[in-house]
């Protein structure tokens, strides 16, 4: 966690940084906080219930983590920010590195408002790890398309075959960065109008 973002922060000027309170610290987290202290970036501390307006008809709803309900087990993963980007009738659910423990807590939290989880696109949690993408969680998200951010030939064996099987129960298509490269999605706010893939040469 935070490893890739450290490189980006050192090379790019970032206007806004959205973070949540973490129950546990790590070396990368400490380095991350040290770097952002020395930038002009606007730090936005969020928790469930926060809405961030981007522009007209586009906003981000923060769904997790919830204050005073942080998870102790694998805290850095399970307290990842879960956010839903909304643009009219189009939406993307970003799930960070949450695992099944967090998925269950999220389902409990939104039991009376399950439709908030339904999304056009799901950014699959934790690189398609076997510890995430439970059928119960996916059944509420019901994405049209799922995207897995994962390195080619990674040592963890991501994405997991069972996780892929679970995802394909609901999503019609999975795109993977290890196979498809950079993935760009265009939308008019109603439907997906174009999907571009760019493999490394």
């Amino acid at each position: 966690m935070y490893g890739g973002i450290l490189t980006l922060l050192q090379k790019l000027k970032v206007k806004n940084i959205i973070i949540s309170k973490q129950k546990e610290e790590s070396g990368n987290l400490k380095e991350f906080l040290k770097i952002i202290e020395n930038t002009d970036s606007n730090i936005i501390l969020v928790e469930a219930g926060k809405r961030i307006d981007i522009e007209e008809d586009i906003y981000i709803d923060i769904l997790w983590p919830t204050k005073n309900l942080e998870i102790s087990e694998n805290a850095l993963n399970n307290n990842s920010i879960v956010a839903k980007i909304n643009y009219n009738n189009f939406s993307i659910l970003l799930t960070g590195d949450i695992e099944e423990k967090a998925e269950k807590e999220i389902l409990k939290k939104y039991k009376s408002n399950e439709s908030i989880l339904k999304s056009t696109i799901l950014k699959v949690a934790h690189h398609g790890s076997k510890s995430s993408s439970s059928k119960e969680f996916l059944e509420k998200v019901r994405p049209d398309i799922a995207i897995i951010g994962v390195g080619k030939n990674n040592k963890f064996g991501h994405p997991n075959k069972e996780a892929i099987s679970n995802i394909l129960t609901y999503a019609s298509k999975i795109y993977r960065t290890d196979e498809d490269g950079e993935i760009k999605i265009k939308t008019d706010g109603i439907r997906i109008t174009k999907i571009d893939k760019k493999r490394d040469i």
Side-chain angles (χ1 to χ4, degrees):
M1 187 176 181
Y2 295 104
I5 200 67
L6 297 179
T7 302
L8 288 177
L9 288 173
Q10 291 167 343
K11 294 185 176 182
L12 300 175
K13 183 174 178 61
V14 179
K15 184 177 180 180
N16 295 301
I17 298 175
I18 300 172
I19 62 173
S20 65
K21 182 181 177 183
Q22 267 293 345
K23 191 175 181 67
E24 177 183 307
E25 289 196 352
S26 68
N28 277 343
L29 175 58
K30 290 177 181 178
E31 182 66 18
F32 170 76
L33 294 173
K34 182 179 177 182
I35 289 174
I36 65 177
E37 280 180 0
N38 299 316
T39 70
D40 296 326
S41 301
N42 178 36
I43 310 301
I44 304 172
L45 185 64
V46 299
E47 61 179 283
K50 172 77 173 180
R51 173 169 289 185
I52 302 170
D53 292 314
I54 306 301
E55 55 183 74
E56 187 177 1
D57 299 324
I58 303 176
Y59 57 91
I60 302 172
D61 281 331
I62 307 298
L63 306 183
W64 187 262
T66 297
K67 188 177 181 180
N68 300 325
L69 283 178
E70 293 97 345
I71 298 174
S72 299
E73 181 182 330
N74 291 334
L76 288 174
N77 287 345
N78 281 316
N79 297 304
S80 295
I81 292 175
V82 176
K84 184 177 180 181
I85 303 173
N86 302 275
Y87 174 30
N88 291 329
N89 294 325
F90 174 87
S91 57
I92 304 176
L93 187 66
L94 307 174
T95 52
D97 281 340
I98 62 167
E99 300 175 347
E100 189 172 357
K101 175 72 173 177
E103 291 177 349
K104 288 180 177 179
E105 292 298 322
I106 291 168
L107 290 176
K108 284 197 293 185
K109 178 175 177 60
Y110 297 103
K111 187 175 181 179
S112 62
N113 185 23
E114 294 175 342
S115 62
I116 197 170
L117 298 174
K118 176 70 179 78
S119 301
T120 313
I121 293 176
L122 170 66
K123 196 293 292 179
V124 174
H126 204 191
H127 319 290
S129 165
K130 65 180 180 180
S131 62
S132 307
S133 301
S134 64
K135 287 184 178 179
E136 294 79 8
F137 185 74
L138 293 166
E139 196 275 332
K140 302 305 178 186
V141 180
R142 289 188 172 273
D144 297 331
I145 290 173
I147 295 176
I148 302 176
V150 61
K152 188 178 294 185
N153 301 321
N154 65 87
K155 64 180 181 180
F156 302 103
H158 298 332
N160 174 261
K161 290 182 179 178
E162 184 177 345
I164 290 176
S165 177
N166 287 348
I167 294 163
L168 287 175
T169 301
Y170 302 99
S172 61
K173 176 71 176 176
I174 295 176
Y175 292 94
R176 301 166 42 165
T177 56
D178 61 336
E179 295 180 348
D180 300 307
E182 180 182 303
I183 300 160
K184 292 183 179 180
I185 296 173
K186 295 182 179 181
T187 178
D188 57 8
I190 300 173
R191 62 189 180 281
I192 297 170
T193 57
K194 189 176 183 181
I195 298 177
D196 290 328
K197 298 179 291 182
K198 182 180 178 183
R199 293 184 176 85
D200 294 333
I201 298 174

